Amino acid sequence: MLNVVIATDGPYGERAFENIKKDFDTEFVELEKPTSMFMDEINIPVDALAKIKGANILITYTQHPDLTLDLVDMVNKDIDHIIVAAWRGEGFKNQLERYENVTCPYIMCELEENGNEMFDEFTSKIGKPKVDITLEDGKIAIIDVIRSSPCGSTTFVADYISDKYFGSDDLENIPNEAGLKLQHYPCRAAKMRLFSDEECKKEMASGFHRDAFEEGIKRGK
């Protein structure tokens, strides 16, 4: 089974761990956050480093830029693909993505297949929301989450829509309501791209879920 390691130095990543471990063999590694913004040397415990190097997919929620960069530099040759969930600035992003197996998504629920075998296996289940909707006589019968956002919000939205619209033929309002319901989930998308003055990424996550349900209904017809 695909092995996923989630590394963090702070409050982020635990929710993704709880969701991703439903589909993949997943471990959660907590690293000590450096006390200074700029450090000459980053120390990562040997046991933690060994666990990380054993992953097929590494997801970093580390907030300290030096820790993130040093970790990626240390392990990129041992891991099939690295997803950097928290980063700041296009320059830092470009520095990380000079490694061909590193991806720095704008938000985590935009992840889709990219041709890397292990990454594609991961994003077949986790990433940009995708749902299948089964209709019977034009009415909602079953909603299956095919690909969930890492944080689990897709299942949250799907459960709500399924409960409310089961047996209903009112299909027109479902996509917009799915997008609006995402707003009630404690999404952290706005915080994960650090030190950004740009608009809340929660709006993007809402749009992805609206589109997922709209496409699911089209396929179900």
Side-chain angles (χ1 to χ4, degrees), residues 84-98:
V84 179
W87 53 273
R88 61 169 186 172
E90 292 296 324
F92 188 55
K93 176 179 182 290
N94 292 338
Q95 191 174 7
L96 289 164
E97 290 186 341
R98 74 179 189 269

Side-chain angles (χ1 to χ4, degrees), residues 6-66:
I6 296 173
T8 186
D9 64 356
Y12 301 114
E14 190 168 356
R15 185 185 298 157
F17 167 68
E18 293 297 330
N19 188 51
I20 293 169
K21 73 178 184 180
K22 298 173 186 177
D23 291 301
F24 301 108
D25 182 12
T26 307
E27 295 188 79
F28 191 68
V29 176
E30 296 183 78
L31 302 174
E32 184 175 352
K33 187 175 182 178
T35 56
S36 173
M37 180 58 69
F38 302 102
M39 300 290 290
D40 292 330
E41 184 177 352
I42 298 292
N43 293 314
I44 299 175
V46 173
D47 58 339
L49 195 59
K51 190 176 293 185
I52 291 168
K53 286 184 176 182
N56 300 115
I57 300 289
L58 169 65
I59 306 174
T60 68
Y61 283 88
T62 48
Q63 298 172 78
H64 194 288
D66 287 347

Side-chain angles (χ1 to χ4, degrees), residues 123-135:
T123 55
S124 70
K125 297 287 188 181
I126 302 293
K128 190 174 183 180
K130 181 178 181 180
V131 298
D132 273 351
I133 298 178
T134 302
L135 303 177

Side-chain angles (χ1 to χ4, degrees), residues 63-80:
Q63 298 172 78
H64 194 288
D66 287 347
L67 176 56
T68 301
L69 189 58
D70 278 19
L71 179 59
V72 169
D73 187 60
M74 288 178 189
V75 305
N76 75 89
K77 293 180 181 179
D78 301 287
I79 295 174
D80 292 286

Side-chain angles (χ1 to χ4, degrees), residues 97-121:
E97 290 186 341
R98 74 179 189 269
Y99 301 104
E100 293 183 357
N101 64 336
V102 175
T103 297
C104 301
Y106 200 59
I107 58 173
M108 286 292 285
C109 55
E110 71 175 9
L111 295 171
E112 294 184 278
E113 295 86 348
N114 68 2
N116 177 287
E117 182 180 357
M118 291 297 177
F119 185 81
D120 288 356
E121 182 178 348

Side-chain angles (χ1 to χ4, degrees), residues 137-153:
D137 298 324
K139 299 178 181 179
I140 296 291
I142 302 172
I143 300 177
D144 290 317
V145 175
I146 304 303
R147 180 166 56 204
S148 170
S149 60
C151 67
S153 58

